[in-house]
Amino acid sequence: AQKITQTQPGMFVQEKEAVTLDCTYDTSDPSYGLFWYKQPSSGEMIFLIYQGSYDQQNATEGRYSLNFQKARKSANLVISASQLGDSAMYFCAMREGQGGGFKTIFGAGTRLFVKA
Amino acid sequence: DAGVIQSPRHEVTEMGQEVTLRCKPISGHNSLFWYRQTMMRGLELLIYFNNNVPIDDSGMPEDRFSAKMPNASFSTLKIQPSEPRDSAVYFCASSRQADSYNEQFFGPGTRLTVL
């Protein structure tokens, strides 16, 4: 069963606009972490933001914020004021707790194109 | 601080040859992960270690793949014999702990091509 779903294979956004990248997940483990990574064309994987299942507030890191809706099992990434350098592949990932063996599962990714 | 170090960055080999990929995790990190990324299958976890001990190797595709972590600062992923379908980018990542709270830091990857 697919545990991490990113339904948008590709997204376009105008420079300086905000964009939301969708991510839904499935787990029965009460303890889990949600992560977003950026993979530019150069290939490296860059950690962006983390949200814990018990966190009461949505995580924020600079221009990145995570819209965490636990009941819906969604963890969408919001990038504000898009920049040309934000063009990349974005992966949502989930690591389950003890019950899940601490495995990390990645979604298929969303390719973001920022237009000038 | 140095990040996760992987070598080689690129490897081209012929089918049947042995391939060894190397990884040095971030100092102080207790957990190490090996991933494989392909267009068809995305990013797959192959194996991970906690305190040098393999915890879950269920993602290792077959017996041709093996991984070791002889000490806290070094790990290898070996493919013997290699096949063209093993061509992929192999990432090593480390984190402070193998729990759900710590992010993983990735190395630059090794791009493997098996002819």
Side-chain angles (χ1 to χ4, degrees), chain A residues 31-35 37 39 42-47 50 52-54 91 95-97 100-104 106-107, chain B residues 9 31 33 35 37 42-43 45 48 55-56 58-59 89 91 95 97-108:
Chain A
S31 176
Y32 54 90
L34 297 159
F35 306 83
Y37 288 85
Q39 188 176 40
S42 51
E44 71 268 35
M45 293 284 286
I46 302 167
F47 165 73
Y50 158 81
S53 59
Y54 295 118
F91 292 96
R95 191 189 299 187
E96 294 173 306
F102 301 118
K103 278 188 161 180
T104 303
F106 283 78
Chain B
R9 294 292 307 276
S31 300
F33 307 80
Y35 290 90
Q37 186 178 35
L43 202 58
L45 176 66
Y48 82 90
I55 302 299
D56 188 336
S58 59
V89 179
F91 286 102
S95 69
Q97 297 288 346
D99 56 32
S100 59
Y101 309 114
N102 282 275
E103 67 269 29
Q104 296 172 28
F105 294 88
F106 281 74

Side-chain angles (χ1 to χ4, degrees), chain A residues 12-89:
Chain A
F12 284 88
V13 64
Q14 194 67 39
E15 192 180 11
K16 301 180 184 177
E17 298 288 315
V19 63
T20 298
L21 307 184
D22 295 342
C23 174
T24 58
Y25 60 92
D26 183 30
T27 181
S28 57
D29 198 319
S31 176
Y32 54 90
L34 297 159
F35 306 83
W36 277 91
Y37 288 85
K38 173 184 178 181
Q39 188 176 40
S41 57
S42 51
E44 71 268 35
M45 293 284 286
I46 302 167
F47 165 73
L48 295 178
I49 195 167
Y50 158 81
Q51 180 84 45
S53 59
Y54 295 118
D55 292 345
Q56 295 296 313
Q57 293 190 329
N58 288 343
T60 61
E61 287 287 347
R63 293 187 299 112
Y64 304 108
S65 60
L66 204 152
N67 184 0
F68 181 45
Q69 298 189 41
K70 194 170 183 176
R72 292 186 173 186
K73 294 188 175 178
S74 75
N76 299 339
L77 176 71
V78 180
I79 306 175
S80 62
S82 298
Q83 302 172 357
L84 295 178
D86 294 334
S87 293
M89 196 76 167

Side-chain angles (χ1 to χ4, degrees), chain B residues 34-36 44-47 56-61 77 90:
Chain B
W34 283 100
Y35 290 90
R36 179 173 67 177
E44 304 173 278
L45 176 66
L46 300 178
I47 185 172
D56 188 336
D57 65 354
S58 59
M60 296 285 262
L77 178 68
Y90 291 81

